[in-house]
Amino acid sequence: MKHLSIPTIFILFMAFYISAGISRAQDSSAMLKIWFTHPAAEWNEALPVGNGRLGAMIFGSVEKERLELNEQTVWTGRPRWDANPDALKTLPEVRKLLFDGKYREADELAQKGIMGWKPDNPPATYQALGDLYLDFGHAGEIRDYRRELNIEDAIAKVTYSANGTRYTREVFSSAPDQVLVVHITCNKPGMVSFTSSLSRPDGRVTTTTTGNETDMYEHVGNGVGVKMFTRLKIIPEGGKIISGSDSIRVEGANSATLYLTAATDYFGGDPSAITSGQMNKATARDYSEIKRRHVADYQSLFKRVTLDLGSSDGGYFPTDARVTAMQNGYVDTDLLELYYQFGRYLLISSSRPGGLPANLQGIWADGMNPPWSADYHININIEMNYWPSEITNLGELQEPFIDFIDALRPDAERTAKEVYGIHGIVAHYTTDPWYFTEPTGNIGYGMWPMGIAWSCQNIWDHYLFGGDKEYLRKKSYPIMKEAAEFCIEWLVKDPHTGFLVSGPSISPENRFYIPGTHETACLVMGPTMDQMIIRDLLQNTIKASMVLDTDKTFRNKMQKTLVRLAPTKIGSDGRIMEWPFEFGEPEPGHRHISHLYGLHPGNQITENTPELFRAARKTIDYRLAHGGGHTGWSRAWIINFFARLKDGEKAYENILALLRKSTLSNLFDNHPPFQIDGNFGGTAGMTEMLLQSHAGKVELLPSLPSEWKTGYIHGIVARGGFVVDIDWEKGLLNKVKIVSRNGNPLRLSYGAKEIYLEKTEKGKTYTFGSDLSIQEKE
Ligand code: FUC
């Protein structure tokens, strides 16, 4: 169980690989596993499973197994209203100070007069549901230990031999049966014995055991939060059950299946009744049936995309050793494939229609106080969570995010009205499932009213990729329109330039030097990112209104506003300006690279805008030269930037940096601490290197690095509803297969070649050769 040293790994690898003669094709199933030869010593080494809502982190100890349990609606707190009653009258004063260049005074006044906060009303937080402990008491001689997560079937497994008996535990969380299942077997009859118990670190739960069932109840957050209920039922095969007051003992069974259901009253209903209904349905099926249904459901999503980057070796080594080898300079291409698919695994496991969106940690959180409350930061983080959704063929998994933004609307409308005195909807840097939207906390992060406007970029993409007009009409367009209404009324005329600008606002979480001083400030009128987001929103909402043939008058208004927006400026040193003036930068390598929003995820900066394109390049180079990319999500964003800049080598370099500097041994992204956005952003960035569709055409292999010589990616998606299979060889396109989901026209490009099909037939598959000539249509 000790870690291998790097030289040992290389020697072992070569010896094993050569002597065994195992080819990649023969053992490709070994590749999509995260595995260890030891139990998790801490939470960050545990393995995550989830069905979108109910999840667990599996530690895998031989003696006493721990599954830290999570359920996505376990939140403290309740709806709140923290608005500052002086906001409305303070707003014009702050704007005036900013237009007069009085930055310090403006910051002070906004902090006092606009930001809200009630110290007696602490912020809500997501929390762990509790822990399931299984005390096996196995000690003595332990051999052949392995703990793995197979991301091809979403099943975790712990296997070992204790005193000559081989034990296996399988764990998964089933979406079709809404149950977490643990199945324990061994190779000798009557040898499965253990004691199970449920608990929660805050020590406030009530647990009761009757027969083979333990129930756990708590009104979380000291009674200010959701009411949660968990049921654990054990069905042994053979042996006997002995129930204690809060534990169950299984003695001498051949095998045992544990069913765990959990729910809260967050979406309404009685959690005790909900979990009992789920339990009755689940236990009516035997283990093999539940497992079969789980695998079929999971694979219907996961198997849509396959990736092969060409080389093969690392799958024979435990994942922690592979990550360490990467950190020491080795390049394990298979680990990149695993990392890529792990991002998709995490999305499937933490975001399913009908539930809440994936939070800062997906659904997996340790204890009662996870970092940043594991909330919904919408100044990049949750948007990034959904970057891989459409492009990696998991478009429906973005719907919880859209539902969530939709559910913000009542509070968001009140904030627009009472805080800013205008119409439409607005939210700031973060929110939670109680849907607060008012500006709170410190201006340095809080005074940023673009949370919904940015989210509309994801929402519009959902239409561009999926093409569902009814969904656009009913769900997405009303959100976009109200967000656009807010922006139109929020913008003010800059008295110096005549342009419309957003403010007071910040360039997310960055600061600048007040000219002529060593003091820093953060508020301005017209930070570049706001201008870009609003431009994006107006352009997209105009298009949406045209698709739906509605709101001509409002469309007109949007068009008139659009042309008056302050443009993106390039500074004297050739970089995109982050603020309207060339301020000195106290932190030139800042993690937020907000002024490149137009490059990614937006599409205002492309090869069609060569000056901005060049300036974007300088901007990112400068950020990196000053230590940028030091958080996982920031590094992941940088991969996407370089992919869009058509620099495959730089994108690749930053993938390596993401794996080397910001990835934990279980492949979770490390901000630090664990934050899931980097996983999702990393998967998105790798996809953007192989396929792009933001600039009016479907671009094949736009940023293929020389290191990925031969390979394929099948099943990824382009705007317009095209499912694309790309095969390349020796760095060049070999063939491409495209299924047209919606019968849209197709502009296809590879390098300098471009073809245009005025229409495609819905449901048909088109195959093109390396010169983009059509080879086949089926
Ligand atoms: C944003 C970032 C931080 C962190 C937090 C959850 O505010 O600036 O780095 O990711 O979200």
Side-chain angles (χ1 to χ4, degrees):
M1 291 199 200
K2 74 182 173 60
H3 294 264
L4 298 173
S5 72
I6 298 309
T8 321
I9 287 170
F10 286 138
I11 294 160
L12 275 177
F13 158 63
M14 290 314 289
F16 180 71
Y17 189 67
I18 294 162
S19 67
I22 294 170
S23 76
R24 175 179 179 73
Q26 282 167 328
D27 201 21
S28 65
S29 64
M31 302 304 162
L32 290 179
K33 285 178 182 164
I34 299 174
W35 65 278
F36 300 87
T37 54
H38 54 87
E42 47 138 346
W43 193 88
N44 283 326
E45 291 179 10
L47 292 169
V49 295
N51 65 2
R53 178 184 75 80
L54 175 63
M57 292 290 282
I58 296 144
F59 284 66
S61 297
V62 168
E63 207 178 332
K64 192 170 182 181
E65 171 66 284
R66 176 182 176 204
L67 266 66
E68 173 145 31
L69 306 168
N70 286 111
E71 201 284 340
Q72 67 171 182
T73 59
V74 176
W75 273 82
T76 69
R78 60 180 165 212
R80 51 199 286 144
W81 181 250
D82 289 346
N84 187 324
D86 293 335
L88 205 48
K89 75 168 196 305
T90 310
L91 182 64
E93 294 172 45
V94 175
R95 283 177 170 158
K96 181 159 188 328
L97 287 170
L98 289 172
F99 282 132
D100 290 346
K102 298 190 169 144
Y103 299 106
R104 180 168 33 84
E105 295 81 349
D107 276 12
E108 280 168 10
L109 184 61
Q111 186 61 59
K112 204 162 103 230
I114 298 182
M115 306 312 287
W117 197 257
K118 292 207 180 77
D120 54 339
N121 191 9
T125 184
Y126 182 58
Q127 294 185 331
L129 176 83
D131 290 291
L132 167 62
Y133 286 104
L134 304 174
D135 195 342
F136 293 92
H138 290 157
E141 196 196 13
I142 307 295
R143 283 175 175 263
D144 303 327
Y145 179 93
R146 183 175 164 112
R147 178 172 58 101
E148 70 170 38
L149 172 64
N150 183 347
I151 65 167
E152 267 184 309
D153 59 14
I155 296 178
K157 214 186 252 184
V158 177
T159 46
Y160 56 90
S161 298
N163 302 317
T165 305
R166 186 101 190 122
Y167 290 91
T168 304
R169 307 171 197 156
E170 283 189 329
V171 187
F172 60 86
S173 183
S174 158
D177 290 306
Q178 289 299 310
V179 64
L180 183 94
V181 184
V182 183
H183 185 62
I184 304 158
T185 53
C186 77
N187 66 349
K188 290 183 189 156
M191 290 295 282
V192 171
S193 300
F194 63 92
T195 303
S196 75
S197 61
L198 283 173
S199 57
R200 197 164 193 254
D202 70 354
R204 292 176 192 274
V205 282
T206 311
T207 50
T208 39
T209 297
T210 323
N212 63 344
E213 181 170 322
T214 300
D215 298 341
M216 179 170 79
Y217 167 80
E218 187 180 333
H219 191 167
V220 311
N222 258 330
V224 186
V226 298
K227 292 179 180 153
M228 59 170 215
F229 205 98
T230 307
R231 289 173 193 273
L232 169 73
K233 200 168 199 154
I234 306 184
I235 303 191
E237 201 249 297
K240 59 177 180 189
I241 290 260
I242 305 157
S243 49
S245 59
D246 60 357
S247 64
I248 301 171
R249 172 106 194 123
V250 172
E251 194 74 65
N254 301 321
S255 68
T257 307
L258 286 71
Y259 298 81
L260 186 136
T261 61
T264 74
D265 60 354
Y266 179 78
F267 285 116
D270 168 14
S272 165
I274 297 169
T275 47
S276 126
Q278 290 165 338
M279 184 61 84
N280 291 340
K281 278 195 196 145
T283 48
R285 301 181 198 280
D286 68 13
Y287 178 68
S288 59
E289 175 68 358
I290 291 243
K291 181 171 162 180
R292 191 190 58 72
R293 284 161 56 84
H294 160 69
V295 173
D297 165 79
Y298 172 77
Q299 291 188 340
S300 71
L301 296 158
F302 183 75
K303 292 231 154 160
R304 292 175 188 173
V305 171
T306 46
L307 170 70
D308 187 334
L309 295 175
S311 116
S312 158
D313 44 39
Y316 308 108
F317 296 99
T319 311
D320 48 349
R322 296 173 73 183
V323 172
T324 311
M326 284 284 288
Q327 286 164 355
N328 284 286
Y330 184 65
V331 176
D332 179 345
T333 306
D334 281 333
L335 189 63
L336 306 186
E337 287 171 20
L338 179 62
Y339 186 87
Y340 178 85
Q341 292 287 22
F342 186 51
R344 299 184 65 246
Y345 169 85
L346 291 173
L347 195 64
I348 300 169
S349 307
S350 64
S351 182
R352 293 289 189 108
L356 285 172
N359 65 39
L360 287 175
Q361 301 198 181
I363 52 171
W364 301 277
D366 185 17
M368 303 292 102
N369 296 299
W372 286 285
S373 309
D375 68 6
Y376 294 96
H377 268 59
I378 40 175
N379 66 0
I380 178 145
N381 316 87
I382 307 306
E383 290 91 341
M384 182 180 281
N385 282 2
Y386 288 92
W387 286 352
S389 61
E390 305 293 339
I391 55 182
T392 79
N393 216 335
L394 299 171
E396 68 267 52
L397 303 189
Q398 177 148 239
E399 286 172 14
F401 179 48
I402 303 176
D403 287 341
F404 183 79
I405 300 296
D406 187 39
L408 290 178
R409 281 164 69 199
D411 200 277
E413 197 181 339
R414 181 175 177 200
T415 300
K417 202 152 133 202
E418 293 188 27
V419 178
Y420 300 126
I422 57 181
H423 300 98
I425 53 175
V426 60
H428 296 76
Y429 79 109
T430 196
T431 183
D432 65 23
W434 309 113
Y435 305 127
F436 83 90
T437 57
E438 55 276 27
T440 55
N442 189 283
I443 49 168
Y445 51 78
M447 188 60 243
W448 184 75
M450 291 291 123
I452 292 182
W454 183 339
S455 304
C456 284
Q457 201 275 332
N458 293 62
I459 295 175
W460 175 239
D461 258 355
H462 188 60
Y463 171 73
L464 291 182
F465 282 89
D468 184 340
K469 240 185 185 182
E470 270 323 285
Y471 189 90
L472 178 68
R473 185 187 313 280
K474 291 199 181 115
K475 179 68 63 83
S476 306
Y477 182 70
I479 305 172
M480 295 172 72
K481 183 181 171 190
E482 287 171 23
E485 273 170 348
F486 172 81
C487 290
I488 289 172
E489 293 188 30
W490 165 252
L491 289 162
V492 289
K493 187 171 152 188
D494 182 331
H496 309 292
T497 65
F499 286 124
L500 294 177
V501 289
S502 162
S505 187
I506 56 172
S507 188
E509 308 190 22
N510 206 355
R511 302 180 72 78
F512 56 86
Y513 283 119
I514 299 172
T517 76
H518 295 292
E519 269 177 76
T520 65
C522 61
L523 292 179
V524 291
M525 294 303 293
T528 301
M529 177 183 240
D530 282 26
Q531 302 296 120
M532 286 176 168
I533 290 176
I534 295 173
R535 185 173 301 111
D536 211 37
L537 174 67
L538 294 178
Q539 279 169 350
N540 295 340
T541 312
I542 288 168
K543 285 184 201 146
S545 77
M546 284 166 30
V547 170
L548 299 173
D549 194 17
T550 186
D551 287 331
K552 278 212 178 92
T553 319
F554 183 62
R555 191 187 311 153
N556 215 349
K557 207 166 163 184
M558 289 192 280
Q559 266 149 351
K560 284 193 175 137
T561 307
L562 195 55
V563 293
R564 293 181 57 206
L565 279 178
T568 304
K569 290 201 283 188
I570 298 174
S572 55
D573 59 0
R575 288 186 292 145
I576 307 262
M577 283 167 57
E578 183 160 1
W579 298 279
F581 302 100
E582 287 191 70
F583 296 130
E585 297 165 78
E587 204 187 321
H590 198 271
R591 61 194 182 285
H592 286 263
I593 310 162
S594 307
H595 42 322
L596 293 192
Y597 170 94
L599 177 67
H600 185 276
N603 64 355
Q604 289 162 40
I605 305 178
T606 66
E607 283 164 306
N608 303 327
T609 59
E611 268 180 70
L612 289 174
F613 200 70
R614 275 195 299 276
R617 172 70 203 225
K618 282 203 172 152
T619 308
I620 186 68
D621 284 347
Y622 188 86
R623 251 337 193 239
L624 276 172
H626 291 82
H630 50 277
T631 70
W633 64 258
S634 180
R635 181 70 66 184
W637 200 2
I638 292 168
I639 299 167
N640 286 274
F641 287 143
F642 280 118
R644 289 274 175 102
L645 286 169
K646 306 285 167 68
D647 190 334
E649 303 311 319
K650 281 298 229 183
Y652 178 78
E653 207 179 274
N654 281 281
I655 295 175
L656 298 188
L658 181 65
L659 267 291
R660 286 175 175 155
K661 298 182 183 169
S662 305
T663 299
L664 296 159
S665 65
N666 64 358
L667 299 191
F668 266 167
D669 173 64
N670 196 14
H671 180 289
F674 161 53
Q675 200 170 284
I676 207 162
D677 42 13
N679 285 106
F680 293 134
T683 296
M686 289 172 75
T687 317
E688 289 277 336
M689 290 163 75
L690 303 172
L691 181 73
Q692 290 173 20
S693 62
H694 62 288
K697 55 185 177 181
V698 175
E699 295 178 77
L700 306 168
L701 304 178
S703 294
L704 185 69
S706 56
E707 292 79 358
W708 295 346
K709 285 193 181 54
T710 296
Y712 64 80
I713 186 154
H714 291 176
I716 50 176
V717 186
R719 289 172 186 79
F722 299 106
V723 183
V724 184
D725 292 1
I726 310 171
D727 290 57
W728 68 93
E729 226 177 270
K730 296 190 184 127
L732 296 171
L733 179 68
N734 189 20
K735 76 169 190 218
V736 56
K737 213 161 141 187
I738 296 183
V739 179
S740 172
R741 275 184 177 157
N742 298 323
N744 281 319
L746 171 66
R747 188 177 293 283
L748 185 65
S749 86
Y750 171 60
K753 291 181 212 118
E754 189 168 307
I755 59 148
Y756 182 62
L757 303 184
E758 223 169 296
K759 55 178 195 225
T760 58
E761 253 180 272
K762 195 174 168 153
K764 292 271 182 229
T765 304
Y766 298 78
T767 308
F768 305 86
S770 55
D771 60 352
L772 300 189
S773 60
I774 295 198
Q775 317 263 294
E776 213 180 291
K777 180 179 150 195
E778 315 153 31

